[in-house]
Amino acid sequence: MLLGLTVIPPAEAQTPKRGGTLRVAYGNEILGLDFHTVPGYEMIWVATNVGCGLINITPDGKFVPDAAESWQISPDGLLYTFRLRKNVLFHDGTQVDAAVVKFNIDRIMDPATRSSMRTFYEPVHSVEVLDPYTVQIRLKHPYAFMMHMLAAYRMGLVLYSPTATQKYSLEDRKAGKPEAVVGCGPFKLVEWVKGAHLVMDRFDKYFEPGLPYVDRVIIRVIKDPVTQMAAFKASEIDFIADFSADHVDTLRAQNPRAQIMTGKETTPMMAMMKVTVPADGKPMSKDRAPHPIFNDLRVRKAIGCYGIDRKEIVKIAFKGQATPWLGIIPPGTLDATDVTHLCPYDPVRAKALLGEAGYGPQKPLTFELMTNTEKSVFSVIATVIKEQVTRIGVTANIRLVDKPSWLITTTQDGSFDMYVEDLASLLTVDQNAYLSITTAAWNHSRHTDPKVDEYYARYAREMDPAKRKAIAREFQEFSADKLYWNTISGSPFYQVAQPWMKGYVYQAEFKVHYKKVWLDK
Amino acid sequence: MRTYILKRLLQIVPTVLMITLVVFVMMRSVPGDPVVALLGDGYTEEDAIKVREAYGLNKPILVQYVIWLGKLCQGDWGISILSGRPVLQDVLVRLPVTLELIVLSMGVALVIAIPAAIIGALRQNTWADYTATSVAMIGVSIPEFFIGVLLLLLFSIGLGGLLPSSGWVYLPGTCPMMVCGVSLWGNVQHVLMPAIALGVGRAAILTRLLRTSMLEVIRTEYVTTARAKGLAERPVVFKHALKNALIPTVTVMGLQVGFLIGGAIVVETLFAMPGLGTFGIDAIIGRDYQQVQGFTLITAFAFVVINLIVDLTYTFLDPRIRYA
């Protein structure tokens, strides 16, 4: 499986130079530095450089060693045994051993930690230390994506020094105290001053000989894309970790030699419709009542399937640089199937379905279309949808809110009819479970269909890749038919590097590693 | 005078407290809270309830405010719910950046406004006056971010990186972190565009105001007398006319500090500066209540103190003014 395609020229042909400072721009602030609990890609992109894990994943989907040098999976798929390297040190000088792995997984699985990764470890029964450098993870049931999960779910398991973790508080780690944030990665944290910069220096005792190449990485937050472009043009930064799709053409015109990296979209752009509401008026209540508009499948299909022209949205909102898409899994995700043909733009059919559902000139349909201010493209998409549904006699009233208001409304079962947003980047179908099974807090449509849960369970436990692919296809067709999850398109992701930045491997949002980066200047 | 200053200083306390109370209540009245952002993908209702309890967010608003106030009295500005960082520490790191920006913006405004207003008043209804008033009108009409973007396009992109587009270099001896860019020239380069972007709008307002005041003052009898007794034009303008015309301008300058703080949010975001403006907007967007309170406290305090200084300036400009 490809994590992404890249236009970056191969750098391996040249001999890497050591030294220099890599200057990186992030588009959003880092929220905190407790790697197991704090959300946000920006934090994770730091964690995967300060920390190391058991294994890693390459852009073509192969698992490669990190702190573990080898591994074995038992024939029944219940035992994962990892043999650790003996030369892996934390930045505080302590050794990475089997007890460290157990400590970290136990910490994530402990409900008191409140790790957002806990849900991924549901199949794990226990972790055992077999000897100082051998650790075994026992599963409750076969789980086809155990290696994916360890390598890359929420960007993968990151090991913390137990010594530092026990000595310092959660607040210390969140606040980024260097002595509290102790990993075993290629860079050690020097300083994080929120709003100013994050500085990491090369860890000279990193276990991969000769790596990393650069002496220092300085990460600054530059939120405005125009300022990012100005800083890039003036060579004030070497790398933009997340660049706005809207400005790619401008940046390319200004910097013909810039390395602009992108790949297949792994994040879905959604027009989510709410299916049920709390019957007793209490948010998140298990007592559900039908949503007055979108519980009716005919209305969901009229609006979400036939009434939305996905190609037009992509043309206007993304200047054609995204894939019109319907499936529950975005185009760049493993086992994604293109089921977009199941929902061709057909206003006549949409009107007919609305008529069947009792809507028409005498009883016009009006709904609220919520979106948020995080990305300007959301408002553009909402506006195009509003215009498109007008063509079938439906009024969409746009409600623009800020991100926290959107978050609280959606995750707390608040009042909305439809929203436009892009959600998490997905490596596998399985990873989407925590966003869409019936019991998930992020099941924003609040569907109650147990068949969705069954599909996820069957898919995750099927060890035969061919059979798994068939389940995935069936599930995506089912999802397109029920429209509990209404995808509009993929959401393109871009990274930009100066021509002298070499050795970087594009892996979309999943991995941002600086250890092999070197500066050819 | 001393009694007056003491009274005004004492007035600062209830004023700032009232502002912090209003903001405290308003922040908790808007939808969203930091817990959802804190838990992120791992959000569950059960965890959210526990976290709200842990941070005392489940208590009545006034109780929360009293707790915050009690800690403040002990010098504890609180801990950011999202980042876990002490609020006071972050405020102190960022305050010098914003202070420098605001002071220099006001400097830019005065450097533009005073000559433009004098020329406009002394040469009323000439091309020089029309130019000054027209430019002032344009300056008032253009928002800070737009001027900032134009400056970026010109100096950072168009002129091949003549001025840095973003970030900050500290003045020697002021670096509050372990790793800093420190250089006087670097600091000047970094602050120039943000100060101009923020100062131009204020310059426009002050130009219009000062010009009007100057027009009134130069028609007064004492200015006519000064001229009649043969005093040169320069002392007439600068010593007699300008000094008196400045009183309403100084009043407005004090009030403009509030606009400068608001403008700093936009300008600091545009130029990616590590100042209080970006701190404040991140806190508001993240619903990080402790940080919002810290931001409110420091900006309210600065606003009130600056306006006290403005009031005291009157006595220098017009010795007839006496505070009892």
Side-chain angles (χ1 to χ4, degrees):
Chain A
M1 183 206 58
L2 293 176
L3 286 182
L5 301 171
T6 169
V7 293
I8 197 165
E12 282 65 35
Q14 296 170 267
T15 307
K17 294 176 186 166
R18 284 178 75 83
T21 297
L22 177 71
R23 300 156 305 166
V24 178
Y26 284 178
N28 289 302
E29 189 58 82
I30 298 160
L31 292 177
L33 288 178
D34 184 73
F35 301 152
H36 295 164
T37 63
V38 174
Y41 286 125
E42 289 73 20
M43 179 282 296
I44 292 162
W45 296 338
V46 174
T48 47
N49 287 285
V50 171
C52 68
L54 278 176
I55 52 170
N56 230 315
I57 189 167
T58 60
D60 57 357
K62 289 195 180 79
F63 299 109
V64 292
D66 201 10
E69 61 184 2
S70 61
W71 52 88
Q72 279 185 320
I73 304 169
S74 65
D76 61 3
L78 292 177
L79 293 175
Y80 285 70
T81 309
F82 294 90
R83 184 86 190 147
L84 304 180
R85 299 174 199 254
K86 290 178 180 164
N87 61 338
V88 185
L89 294 177
F90 284 111
H91 302 155
D92 60 4
T94 54
Q95 184 83 34
V96 174
D97 57 18
V100 163
V101 178
K102 178 174 169 53
F103 171 86
N104 277 274
I105 295 179
D106 285 350
R107 179 175 187 253
I108 291 168
M109 290 173 63
D110 182 355
T113 306
R114 296 194 195 100
S115 171
S116 58
M117 302 168 78
R118 192 175 82 219
T119 180
F120 300 138
Y121 285 79
E122 182 279 328
V124 174
H125 175 272
S126 58
V127 183
E128 289 169 52
V129 175
L130 300 187
D131 67 50
Y133 293 101
T134 310
V135 63
Q136 190 172 71
I137 303 173
R138 181 182 295 275
L139 302 188
K140 295 174 197 163
H141 51 75
Y143 177 40
F145 297 98
M146 187 63 193
M147 295 293 276
H148 289 86
M149 190 271 279
L150 290 172
Y153 278 17
R154 197 180 165 272
M155 318 320 144
L157 171 67
V158 176
L159 301 174
Y160 256 134
S161 156
T163 313
T165 307
Q166 285 158 345
K167 187 174 175 186
Y168 294 96
S169 68
L170 173 67
E171 300 301 323
D172 289 335
R173 278 187 302 282
K174 277 168 65 180
K177 273 191 181 173
E179 57 272 29
V181 183
V182 178
C184 43
F187 294 95
K188 56 185 177 186
L189 181 68
V190 173
E191 179 179 56
W192 174 47
V193 180
K194 196 178 177 192
H197 60 219
L198 183 142
V199 181
M200 303 184 283
D201 277 356
R202 178 172 54 215
F203 178 45
D204 290 326
K205 293 178 182 168
Y206 182 58
F207 59 86
E208 290 193 62
L211 295 179
Y213 294 122
V214 295
D215 294 334
R216 174 167 278 191
V217 178
I218 296 183
I219 297 165
R220 286 169 47 213
V221 177
I222 305 178
K223 291 185 178 175
D224 190 275
V226 175
T227 314
Q228 285 182 350
M229 282 195 293
F232 191 83
K233 172 78 178 167
S235 303
E236 294 166 23
I237 49 175
D238 302 308
F239 179 60
I240 305 174
D242 180 1
F243 189 64
S244 156
D246 300 356
H247 296 81
V248 166
D249 290 342
T250 312
L251 186 134
R252 187 179 282 124
Q254 287 175 357
N255 306 273
R257 293 182 60 228
Q259 304 176 73
I260 298 173
M261 296 168 268
T262 189
K264 275 190 173 179
E265 303 103 287
T266 52
T267 303
M269 182 63 73
M270 308 295 305
M272 185 78 78
M273 293 174 278
K274 193 149 186 181
V275 179
T276 69
V277 294
D280 54 9
K282 293 177 185 167
M284 309 298 284
S285 169
K286 286 180 182 167
D287 189 8
R288 311 302 301 180
H291 183 275
I293 299 170
F294 289 121
N295 189 262
D296 188 330
L297 179 58
R298 292 169 300 185
V299 181
R300 283 209 299 282
K301 289 201 132 179
I303 305 289
C305 188
Y306 305 116
I308 288 178
D309 185 349
R310 289 171 168 77
K311 286 181 186 165
E312 186 182 51
I313 292 173
V314 164
K315 191 178 166 191
I316 294 171
F318 293 113
K319 296 176 185 164
Q321 295 184 29
T323 311
W325 199 254
L326 172 66
I328 187 166
I329 302 307
T333 300
L334 179 67
D335 289 341
T337 303
D338 189 353
V339 290
T340 317
H341 63 278
L342 297 175
C343 279
Y345 179 56
D346 189 344
V348 175
R349 205 161 162 189
K351 274 187 181 176
L353 276 171
L354 286 172
E356 278 179 35
Y359 294 106
Q362 281 75 38
K363 190 190 169 192
L365 171 60
T366 300
F367 69 88
E368 185 186 271
L369 175 51
M370 179 173 69
T371 190
N372 70 58
T373 52
E374 187 194 22
K375 294 182 184 173
S376 58
V377 74
F378 297 160
S379 306
V380 177
I381 292 173
T383 307
V384 179
I385 290 176
K386 180 185 170 73
E387 201 281 321
Q388 288 179 350
V389 297
T390 306
R391 296 176 207 160
I392 54 172
V394 174
T395 304
N397 293 320
I398 294 175
R399 178 160 67 110
L400 185 64
V401 298
D402 66 357
K403 182 82 182 219
S405 302
W406 174 85
L407 266 174
I408 203 97
T409 305
T410 51
T411 52
Q412 291 202 323
D413 202 7
S415 169
F416 73 90
D417 299 326
M418 177 190 273
Y419 74 64
V420 170
E421 237 277 346
D422 60 355
L423 296 178
S425 192
L426 301 170
L427 189 67
T428 69
V429 177
D430 167 65
Q431 201 180 352
N432 204 40
Y434 81 102
L435 297 172
S436 52
I437 59 170
T438 52
T439 52
W442 282 70
N443 166 22
H444 289 165
S445 73
R446 304 279 168 231
H447 75 83
T448 53
D449 193 338
K451 271 199 92 173
V452 172
D453 302 0
E454 285 170 26
Y455 272 118
Y456 278 121
R458 275 176 58 206
Y459 179 75
R461 294 179 192 196
E462 176 57 63
M463 303 305 279
D464 180 341
K467 287 181 184 169
R468 214 162 48 223
K469 196 169 182 66
I471 296 169
R473 182 179 188 89
E474 192 186 322
F475 176 39
Q476 286 166 91
E477 286 168 352
F478 169 81
S479 169
D481 185 49
K482 298 292 183 191
L483 281 183
Y484 297 132
W485 180 278
N486 187 35
T487 308
I488 296 291
S489 68
S491 186
F493 182 74
Y494 286 93
Q495 294 182 322
V496 183
Q498 297 282 7
W500 55 79
M501 180 175 149
K502 302 287 171 71
Y504 182 73
V505 179
Y506 174 82
Q507 287 186 272
E509 298 97 324
F510 299 110
K511 297 282 175 185
V512 176
H513 285 303
Y514 303 125
K515 66 180 177 184
K516 290 185 179 171
V517 169
W518 57 280
L519 302 172
D520 189 16
K521 62 174 184 179
Chain B
M1 184 74 169
R2 194 173 294 170
T3 315
Y4 173 79
I5 294 172
L6 196 63
K7 269 187 197 167
R8 288 291 305 269
L9 284 173
L10 286 173
Q11 281 173 5
I12 288 175
V13 179
T15 308
V16 170
L17 286 182
M18 189 53 71
I19 294 168
T20 57
L21 176 62
V22 169
V23 173
F24 199 92
V25 174
M26 280 174 66
M27 271 308 291
R28 279 154 180 79
S29 306
V30 295
D33 72 10
V35 175
V36 182
L38 188 69
L39 293 173
D41 297 351
Y43 179 92
T44 65
E45 191 61 13
E46 298 77 43
D47 281 350
I49 289 168
K50 285 177 193 162
V51 172
R52 286 195 187 95
E53 278 175 9
Y55 286 102
L57 298 174
N58 57 336
K59 294 187 170 80
I61 291 175
L62 284 179
V63 173
Q64 290 182 47
Y65 181 74
V66 170
I67 292 171
W68 174 78
L69 204 56
K71 287 183 176 172
L72 185 70
C73 292
Q74 298 165 39
D76 178 2
W77 288 43
I79 301 281
S80 159
I81 295 173
L82 287 179
S83 73
R85 297 174 64 85
V87 173
L88 180 60
Q89 185 185 319
D90 277 355
V91 166
L92 291 178
V93 165
R94 286 156 173 263
L95 185 61
V97 177
T98 304
L99 270 181
E100 186 181 339
L101 174 65
I102 287 177
V103 168
L104 289 178
S105 302
M106 195 52 92
V108 167
L110 291 175
V111 164
I112 297 171
I114 292 175
I118 291 172
I119 292 167
L122 296 181
R123 292 177 173 41
Q124 193 188 7
N125 298 331
T126 63
W127 65 268
D129 181 30
Y130 294 141
T131 306
T133 47
S134 301
V135 170
M137 185 60 80
I138 293 168
V140 173
S141 311
I142 302 177
E144 289 98 349
F145 80 87
F146 189 70
I147 296 173
V149 169
L150 291 180
L151 291 169
L152 271 177
L153 292 174
L154 179 62
F155 291 106
S156 294
I157 296 179
L159 297 176
L162 189 66
L163 289 174
S165 65
S166 60
W168 191 252
V169 168
Y170 287 84
L171 288 166
T174 64
C175 172
M177 302 174 274
M178 287 166 66
V179 182
C180 278
V182 177
S183 143
L184 177 61
W185 177 233
N187 179 268
V188 171
Q189 284 181 309
H190 277 81
V191 80
L192 203 55
M193 284 200 291
I196 293 171
L198 195 53
V200 165
R202 308 284 79 77
I205 291 167
L206 295 180
T207 302
R208 289 173 63 80
L209 190 75
L210 188 55
R211 175 183 170 276
T212 308
S213 299
M214 280 291 287
L215 281 172
E216 283 176 18
V217 172
I218 58 176
R219 286 171 189 150
T220 55
E221 289 177 352
Y222 68 85
V223 172
T224 310
T225 307
R227 282 179 173 148
K229 71 180 183 185
L231 203 61
E233 189 63 8
R234 183 181 288 260
V236 170
V237 171
F238 288 99
K239 197 173 172 191
H240 296 281
L242 180 62
K243 206 170 164 188
N244 285 293
L246 272 175
I247 291 176
T249 308
V250 168
T251 308
V252 171
M253 275 171 61
L255 298 173
Q256 289 294 315
V257 170
F259 289 99
L260 285 175
I261 293 168
I265 291 175
V266 177
V267 169
E268 286 179 10
T269 304
L270 181 65
F271 290 98
M273 294 166 65
L276 270 180
T278 44
F279 175 81
I281 195 70
D282 286 345
I284 293 165
I285 288 172
R287 303 289 192 273
D288 197 325
Y289 298 143
Q290 301 291 337
Q291 288 192 334
V292 172
Q293 283 308 111
F295 174 71
T296 308
L297 185 66
I298 195 74
T299 50
F301 184 76
F303 185 78
V304 176
V305 168
I306 287 169
N307 277 280
L308 171 62
I309 294 168
V310 164
D311 288 352
L312 298 178
T313 311
Y314 295 155
T315 58
F316 164 74
L317 293 172
D318 187 348
R320 291 170 300 178
I321 298 174
R322 289 281 182 272
Y323 294 116

